[in-house]
Amino acid sequence: MPKHSQHRRRGKQALDADDIEWLESTPENLDGPPEGDRWSTWDQSTPTEKGPRPHPDWLVTELAAVDTEHGILKTGKEADVHLISRGVPGTDRTCLLAAKRYRSAEHRLFHRDSGYLEGRRTRDDRMNRAMASRTAFGKQAIAAQWAVAEFGALCRLWELGVPVPYPVQIVGTEILQEFVGTPDGYAAPRLAQVSEGLDDLWEQLVAAMVTLAREGLAHGDLSPYNLLVHEGRLVIIDLPQIVDVIAHPTGPSFLERDARNVATWFTAKDVAAADADALIALLRKEAGLAPL
């Protein structure tokens, strides 16, 4: 194991003579990693804050790894998504990750949260009041709640076999997940940008939505802009607002809106099988809801 990896593992324990000699000879290690922008945050997450096991082989989990920033993939009103590489210096062990970072309270605009939060009240009345009035504390609580909700949804859906990016870990309000795109960092296109293979993509989407409905869930904000297409495979992204259609006061309306949004788009692209009313009826049945 590299010496600097041993030092990180030891944490606050007393340093031995070899540690002191190594630190004195390489003082830059006190300030940061030998290359990259930060040490890997893998060891900052607890087991429940990491993705489902077994972790995929491509994922770099070594303590000696460092994270390097490569720019912004997507900007949004609540969060930005950055591309980072995580690798062990001096080796070929590296992987690309998408880091979704919810913004600080003073720069955040939770334009959609009021309806979704109806089903997410906490036992802490003070926190509920703060979130409702959008104080600085309340916004920070909302950010944490959205990040935790999204990471939990990704883990749950991954284990169900729903096509979502592998959830790597959560650290505070940063979610690290599998980068969906090419090895050289080009992100997969959104469904809205795709014009080929739409019949097959419709079938994939219906299958994914049926799996969600059987679990009593709806994406909550599904559209051609939060569906990626990578090598002919549909991938669902942006899940902080996932809705329990049974527990949420207006849960069925979110399910129906998701179905109508995507079916309308596919219908406009001349996909014969796309029918909003038929999809809504199917999803309501799978979710155990009464027919309209």
Side-chain angles (χ1 to χ4, degrees):
M1 178 184 296
K3 187 64 177 180
H4 57 275
S5 178
Q6 291 178 343
H7 174 60
R8 292 187 75 216
R9 183 186 293 274
R10 190 167 288 125
K12 295 183 179 180
Q13 297 178 15
L15 301 178
D16 59 24
D18 288 341
D19 286 321
I20 295 172
E21 180 182 357
W22 173 71
L23 289 171
E24 288 178 343
S25 65
T26 55
E28 68 276 8
N29 285 289
L30 293 172
D31 300 321
E35 59 184 62
D37 296 293
R38 69 182 186 188
W39 290 110
S40 163
T41 57
W42 180 252
D43 59 343
Q44 295 180 26
S45 297
T46 66
T48 60
E49 295 170 333
K50 295 176 180 177
R53 289 180 174 275
H55 303 309
D57 292 339
W58 56 261
L59 180 60
V60 175
T61 60
E62 290 87 337
L63 292 180
V66 297
D67 292 344
T68 302
E69 301 274 344
H70 298 289
I72 293 180
L73 292 170
K74 175 191 174 186
T75 60
K77 292 183 180 298
E78 297 96 9
D80 296 324
V81 181
H82 299 249
L83 176 65
I84 70 172
S85 58
R86 173 169 290 177
V88 180
T91 76
D92 60 359
R93 283 284 292 158
T94 186
C95 66
L96 290 176
L97 302 174
K100 185 169 186 178
R101 297 166 183 165
Y102 283 92
R103 295 201 182 111
S104 60
E106 64 271 20
H107 296 113
R108 187 179 304 118
L109 294 173
F110 283 96
H111 67 303
R112 298 169 296 148
D113 64 352
S114 58
Y116 300 105
L117 290 175
E118 284 298 318
R120 295 187 189 168
R121 292 177 62 84
T122 73
R123 296 180 179 179
D124 187 330
D125 289 337
R126 174 174 170 263
M127 183 175 294
N128 288 329
R129 289 194 298 271
M131 289 192 294
S133 60
R134 303 303 189 270
T135 64
F137 170 75
K139 288 183 178 181
Q140 191 63 31
I142 292 171
Q145 193 176 71
W146 278 56
V148 169
E150 179 162 23
F151 186 73
L154 285 169
C155 290
R156 182 176 179 183
L157 298 188
W158 174 270
E159 292 182 312
L160 288 171
V162 177
V164 296
Y166 177 76
V168 173
Q169 65 180 120
I170 182 171
V171 184
T173 55
E174 177 187 74
I175 298 172
L176 289 167
Q177 55 192 294
E178 174 187 4
F179 169 69
V180 181
T182 64
D184 53 354
Y186 287 92
R190 301 177 189 281
L191 175 62
Q193 302 169 295
V194 175
S195 58
E196 297 181 353
L198 296 183
D199 290 295
D200 181 59
L201 292 172
W202 168 255
E203 292 180 5
Q204 291 183 44
L205 180 55
V206 171
M209 295 179 74
V210 164
T211 301
L212 284 171
R214 286 174 181 166
E215 293 294 312
L217 300 172
H219 182 284
D221 192 33
L222 196 60
S223 80
Y225 294 94
N226 46 35
L227 293 164
L228 303 181
V229 180
H230 182 54
E231 298 178 346
R233 176 173 173 263
L234 200 72
V235 181
I236 302 173
I237 60 171
D238 291 340
L239 290 151
Q241 70 291 309
I242 194 165
V243 173
D244 185 323
V245 299
I246 306 300
H248 194 286
T250 59
S253 67
F254 286 101
L255 182 148
E256 292 161 20
R257 187 177 68 180
D258 282 352
R260 200 166 296 283
N261 282 347
V262 295
T264 299
W265 186 86
F266 276 96
T267 299
K269 299 296 181 180
D270 297 323
V271 175
D275 182 296
D277 291 335
L279 180 58
I280 289 171
L282 173 62
L283 297 180
R284 289 185 64 92
K285 177 181 177 182
E286 295 293 342
L289 297 171
L292 292 174

